[in-house]
Amino acid sequence: MKSPKEYSEAKKYQIKRQRQKLSIKLYVIMLILVTIGAIPTVLNNPHIGKKEGIIYLLVVFSADIIIFTVLYIGYRLENKLLLVDIFLFSVIMIIYIIAVTTSPRLKIFNIVIWMPLLIMFVYAIKRTLITIAFLLIHLGVTIYYLLTFPTYDYTINQGNYSAIISVTLILFIAMDRLVRLHNNYENTILDDYETLQSNNMELTALNEEYYASQEELMHQYDEIQYLAYHDSLTGLYNRKGFTNKLASHLSLETGGVIILIDIVRFNELNNVFGFEMGDKALKASAENIQLLTKDYIVAARMGNDVFALLTKPMDSDEAIIKLIRSLSQKVILDDIEIKLIYSYGIVPFDSESKNAEDLIKKAEITLFKAKSQDERHPYYIYDHSLQKDTEYHIRLSYALDESLINHDLHMHFQPIYQTKSKSVVGFEALARWNHEEFGFISPLTFIGIAENSMTIHYMGKYFRNYLATTIKDLDLLNLNPGLRMTINVSSKELAKLDFSDKVIHQFQTEEIPISMIGLEITESALIGNIDLALKHLTALKEAGFSIYLDDFGTGFSSLNYLDKLPIDVLKIDKTFIDQLHGNKRKQDLLLGIVKLAKVLAIKTVAEGVETEEEYNLVLDMGIDYIQGYYFSKPLPADQIPQLLKKSD
Ligand code: C2E
Ligand code: CA
Ligand code: CA
């Protein structure tokens, strides 16, 4: 494909060539006519002898040939068309002036016949009317001179007249034809040019349209890019955006520092003051973090209440600590001044660091470590003791995904007994992972790892499926129709909008009664988004699941939830049970809770009962059920039937 410019250049060249050919034709015809005209004039001149006449004619012929040659060479040169015309005109004029002045007997005659023809010719190329006008003037002048200057004493015979008239007529017709031809030709050229022009315009318009749509696309693309890489609440980069920026920073090999910043007890703030307040705290934190140092490269909100800052390398740990201490913690929210407390996970890295994901994981582990310390030391700077942990952690998370894909994760089942009768009323299904290289990994560890990524959602589904399959394989419904099988739900799962729909659908397709299944939800899972939790729990309850509130007594233990949420069973945590012995206050507190639960028709389970002493305490308090090593550890599935038979 030729570009419009190339096309018009080619067309222009073609037009020029054709015009050159036409001009040459015109000149040649011109010269032939002039020569023909010269023959009778010269030969009939009584003052010129035949010999002299022939010499004159030969001069004319040679002039023709010279002119034609110059003309041809001239037209081979490009871009010089007009110059060649003018040049030839001048040359011819000079030749004739010389001819006229050196040969008095021919002068007037020559001037009147040849000169106007030449002048006329130059114009003839362009204009018909001027051509005709010149022809007429020429004719008039010729006749006038011939009749009124008898001093040039040679008689004008019929031959002269006929020559003049015939030459003029022939010229007239030829010239007219040529000019028409030329005009036609010029029109076609013009037409061509116009089409070309309009094509060009169309092309330009198309081009413009194309660029406009291109621009719009780019704009949309930018917008999508922006949304994909930014946090809508704070306007900071999101985790993905941060990872990208970090990756491109790593390629510079200059080193730097990653600081992860977590708002301490953010969930509590959200809970006490509401989400609007939570959002304000997040926005204020985002602003403060950006003001922390002018040397930062990226500021991001990595998730819920965790922010990240990537800065240039810093001289020392002291400099970093000084920097984070300068973070303004005061936030004014609706006239209430709140002092936010932050935890910091700090990872200085050198030019050797290559992998952004791994660095972020390191930072998360460092932050985790920082959060586990007391509030007076809210930061942790990554060191080599953490290095091992990190590598281990990263390898573990890869191994976990692999095990999940290969169905290498299992469940054990811990029986739950009725306190008084000591008969088995159900089992809690507990996740188990025994990896060939890493050995037995606590569910607290690997669930935590899974919760750091999307893995938790696949894992949750996998274990629920595991439970359903176990119930069917062991025919538990027939062994004990009243059995309750419970399974734990991660807070991350509960935070997903379609969680209840998915779980209901999953169990509806398994052929087991949903009423047999209990879902254990921890208090901390409810704190994140109580409205969504309520929605899920209500839907699950309606579908027939029992709801267990797990780990009661470890967190905030708000009795609020008990009547707000559709809870069937309260599981009192092991740590609470552990503290009972010899602690009258705790015992009274628990007694109060148990009584309240009874009023609300909520059953109670004591977790982690290990001794007879504890058992008796729990029995005295009227706690309905017991789960603990005192009776049984979690068991592999195949031991369930045997246990149920024994319990009967
Ligand atoms: P949890 O839900 O509180 O589960 C009870 C834990 O206490 C189990 O630990 C159980 O083995 C342990 N336990 C029961 N009785 C006693 C006792 O008398 N003494 C002691 N020392 N421990 C006792 P496990 O199996 O290690 O599970 C730990 C946690 O991991 C669970 O705490 C639960 O939060 C989580 N988890 C386990 N399986 C799953 C699962 O399938 N999904 C989710 N999301 N979390 C799970
Ligand atoms: Ca549990
Ligand atoms: Ca528990």
Side-chain angles (χ1 to χ4, degrees):
M1 262 283 290
K2 275 182 185 164
S3 76
K5 204 177 164 213
E6 280 169 343
Y7 181 78
S8 75
E9 285 299 325
K11 198 78 194 170
K12 260 193 217 159
Y13 181 77
Q14 203 184 340
I15 290 167
K16 200 161 42 182
R17 275 275 167 241
Q18 279 168 345
R19 186 180 175 304
Q20 284 173 3
K21 276 187 202 156
L22 187 74
S23 283
I24 291 172
K25 266 192 219 158
L26 279 171
Y27 270 110
V28 171
I29 291 169
M30 213 37 243
L31 289 169
I32 293 169
L33 288 177
V34 167
T35 311
I36 292 168
I39 298 169
T41 317
V42 173
L43 295 182
N44 286 330
N45 192 329
H47 294 277
I48 302 169
K50 283 260 180 269
K51 218 171 142 196
E52 201 186 344
I54 286 167
I55 290 168
Y56 273 118
L57 280 178
L58 280 177
V59 171
V60 171
F61 289 144
S62 352
D64 287 354
I65 288 162
I66 291 165
I67 289 164
F68 182 75
T69 312
V70 172
L71 178 87
Y72 186 77
I73 295 167
Y75 281 135
R76 297 311 297 176
L77 305 169
E78 287 170 32
N79 289 327
K80 301 279 185 288
L81 226 54
L82 194 67
L83 280 181
V84 172
D85 283 337
I86 292 167
F87 171 76
L88 284 174
F89 172 65
S90 317
V91 168
I92 294 167
M93 209 163 77
I94 290 163
I95 290 173
Y96 286 114
I97 287 170
I98 292 167
V100 164
T101 46
T102 51
S103 172
R105 277 178 286 175
L106 288 172
K107 54 185 165 191
I108 296 293
F109 197 53
N110 275 312
I111 290 169
V112 294
I113 288 198
W114 300 58
M115 287 283 283
L117 281 178
L118 282 162
I119 296 165
M120 178 190 71
F121 166 74
V122 173
Y123 284 92
I125 296 169
K126 294 277 172 212
R127 306 250 187 282
T128 324
L129 268 179
I130 295 175
T131 316
I132 295 165
F134 266 95
L135 268 168
L136 290 175
I137 291 166
H138 162 68
L139 198 64
V141 170
T142 311
I143 293 165
Y144 173 79
Y145 270 110
L146 289 174
L147 296 177
T148 53
F149 288 97
T151 36
Y152 290 89
D153 55 343
Y154 70 88
T155 48
I156 299 155
N157 56 30
Q158 275 173 346
N160 290 117
Y161 282 126
S162 69
I164 292 160
I165 290 164
S166 63
V167 165
T168 312
L169 268 175
I170 292 166
L171 252 180
F172 183 78
I173 295 161
M175 201 48 93
D176 185 56
R177 257 190 72 97
L178 275 172
V179 169
R180 257 176 231 262
L181 199 82
H182 182 83
N183 283 351
N184 273 351
Y185 182 64
E186 209 156 57
N187 282 344
T188 14
I189 289 172
L190 274 178
D191 281 355
D192 261 15
Y193 186 72
E194 254 164 46
T195 345
L196 201 76
Q197 196 81 325
S198 81
N199 278 351
N200 229 343
M201 261 154 71
E202 237 168 81
L203 253 169
T204 317
L206 268 173
N207 237 344
E208 262 163 29
E209 221 172 277
Y210 169 77
Y211 281 119
S213 62
Q214 190 87 332
E215 219 165 86
E216 197 177 316
L217 260 173
M218 289 297 281
H219 189 75
Q220 281 174 359
Y221 178 77
D222 283 351
E223 225 172 79
I224 291 167
Q225 275 304 80
Y226 185 87
L227 288 178
Y229 295 108
H230 288 81
D231 168 51
S232 55
L233 180 72
T234 60
L236 298 183
Y237 279 97
N238 59 18
R239 190 192 175 94
K240 217 168 153 189
F242 184 80
T243 312
N244 276 0
K245 287 272 165 185
L246 176 60
S248 54
H249 179 75
L250 290 179
S251 66
L252 301 176
E253 298 186 347
T254 57
V257 183
I258 296 173
I259 307 174
L260 281 194
I261 303 163
D262 172 274
I263 306 176
V264 176
R265 287 198 298 274
F266 175 73
N267 283 341
E268 227 170 303
L269 177 96
N270 241 343
N271 243 15
V272 176
F273 296 102
F275 284 114
E276 222 177 297
M277 205 64 127
D279 281 357
K280 282 183 184 170
L282 289 173
K283 278 189 206 163
S285 296
E287 275 168 30
N288 290 347
I289 285 163
Q290 276 178 296
L291 291 174
L292 196 57
T293 164
K294 61 179 187 332
D295 273 352
Y296 81 83
I297 298 157
V298 201
R301 182 178 168 207
M302 301 296 272
N304 200 22
D305 59 338
V306 178
F307 295 88
L309 207 62
L310 168 64
T311 76
K312 290 179 187 165
M314 283 194 242
D315 298 338
S316 61
D317 288 358
E318 286 70 37
I320 302 172
I321 294 162
K322 207 176 145 205
L323 177 78
I324 59 167
R325 287 220 189 276
S326 70
L327 177 64
S328 165
Q329 299 177 319
K330 260 189 235 159
V331 175
I332 295 173
L333 307 162
D334 295 340
D335 295 340
I336 308 168
E337 191 185 292
I338 291 176
K339 191 181 174 218
L340 293 176
I341 306 168
Y342 299 99
S343 302
Y344 308 86
I346 299 159
V347 181
F349 57 91
D350 55 22
S351 54
E352 306 281 282
S353 296
K354 293 272 146 39
N355 190 320
E357 303 272 358
D358 285 354
L359 268 182
I360 291 171
K361 273 208 176 115
K362 266 187 191 178
E364 279 168 345
I365 289 160
T366 316
L367 178 66
F368 188 76
K369 181 92 180 171
K371 281 162 83 173
S372 68
Q373 303 181 130
D374 81 64
E375 280 172 13
R376 277 168 302 158
H377 302 284
Y379 59 87
Y380 196 92
I381 299 177
Y382 186 83
D383 58 24
H384 280 283
S385 73
L386 266 187
Q387 171 82 35
K388 271 208 159 99
D389 291 3
T390 312
E391 277 167 16
Y392 177 74
H393 189 97
I394 291 169
R395 284 172 56 216
L396 215 56
S397 74
Y398 287 132
L400 180 62
D401 285 347
E402 206 183 339
S403 292
L404 185 60
I405 290 166
N406 297 333
H407 291 203
D408 280 343
L409 296 166
H410 307 280
M411 292 194 114
H412 278 184
F413 299 84
Q414 188 176 30
I416 300 173
Y417 295 82
Q418 191 163 50
T419 316
K420 265 188 217 154
S421 68
K422 298 185 183 177
S423 60
V424 176
V425 293
F427 291 85
E428 176 179 6
L430 294 157
R432 291 290 175 264
W433 184 31
N434 203 348
H435 189 262
E436 53 178 11
E437 184 190 340
F438 298 110
F440 177 82
I441 313 287
S442 159
L444 285 171
T445 304
F446 71 80
I447 300 279
I449 293 172
E451 282 178 337
N452 271 334
S453 69
M454 296 300 279
T455 304
I456 189 63
H457 303 292
Y458 302 109
M459 193 177 273
K461 192 173 174 201
Y462 171 86
F463 281 128
R464 284 189 290 276
N465 182 54
Y466 193 101
L467 173 65
T469 311
T470 307
I471 292 170
K472 281 187 283 184
D473 287 355
L474 298 177
D475 201 14
L476 291 186
L477 194 62
N478 273 332
L479 286 179
N480 183 344
L483 217 54
R484 236 352 130 53
M485 305 299 286
T486 69
I487 189 160
N488 295 285
V489 171
S490 153
S491 58
K492 291 276 161 30
E493 291 183 275
L494 203 68
K496 251 193 130 192
L497 288 178
D498 59 357
F499 173 71
S500 46
D501 290 345
K502 284 268 162 71
V503 174
I504 292 166
H505 178 76
Q506 190 183 356
F507 278 99
Q508 274 170 347
T509 51
E510 308 278 3
E511 294 131 15
I512 46 167
I514 285 181
S515 60
M516 209 181 171
I517 309 296
L519 300 173
E520 298 198 2
I521 317 280
T522 60
E523 239 191 327
S524 54
L526 302 175
I527 285 169
N529 187 346
I530 188 86
D531 294 329
L532 183 63
L534 182 64
K535 199 198 109 203
H536 282 325
L537 295 188
T538 311
L540 290 165
K541 171 98 193 190
E542 249 166 49
F545 292 99
S546 309
I547 308 297
Y548 287 57
L549 187 61
D550 204 358
D551 297 353
F552 191 80
T554 52
F556 307 96
S557 301
S558 162
L559 294 171
N560 243 349
Y561 299 124
L562 296 185
D563 77 327
K564 254 196 205 157
L565 298 167
I567 291 161
D568 298 287
V569 183
L570 195 66
K571 293 189 82 173
I572 299 143
D573 193 71
K574 182 181 185 310
T575 51
F576 209 111
I577 304 294
D578 287 347
Q579 291 164 358
L580 288 180
H581 184 72
N583 189 336
K584 187 78 176 57
R585 223 182 67 84
K586 283 267 165 181
Q587 287 178 19
D588 288 346
L589 183 66
L590 186 58
L591 206 60
I593 291 168
V594 173
K595 276 183 183 159
L596 176 72
K598 281 217 161 71
V599 172
L600 296 170
I602 294 171
K603 296 281 183 196
T604 45
V605 180
E607 281 192 298
V609 174
E610 289 181 342
T611 61
E612 191 175 356
E613 217 175 9
E614 280 171 352
Y615 169 72
N616 286 328
L617 262 175
V618 166
L619 181 70
D620 285 350
M621 283 189 191
I623 294 174
D624 301 296
Y625 308 110
I626 262 182
Q627 180 184 355
Y629 292 174
Y630 180 61
F631 284 108
S632 172
K633 289 199 167 187
L635 307 166
D638 57 11
Q639 290 184 28
I640 295 177
Q642 206 188 332
L643 184 87
L644 285 176
K645 273 180 210 136
K646 221 168 64 187
S647 167
D648 275 345

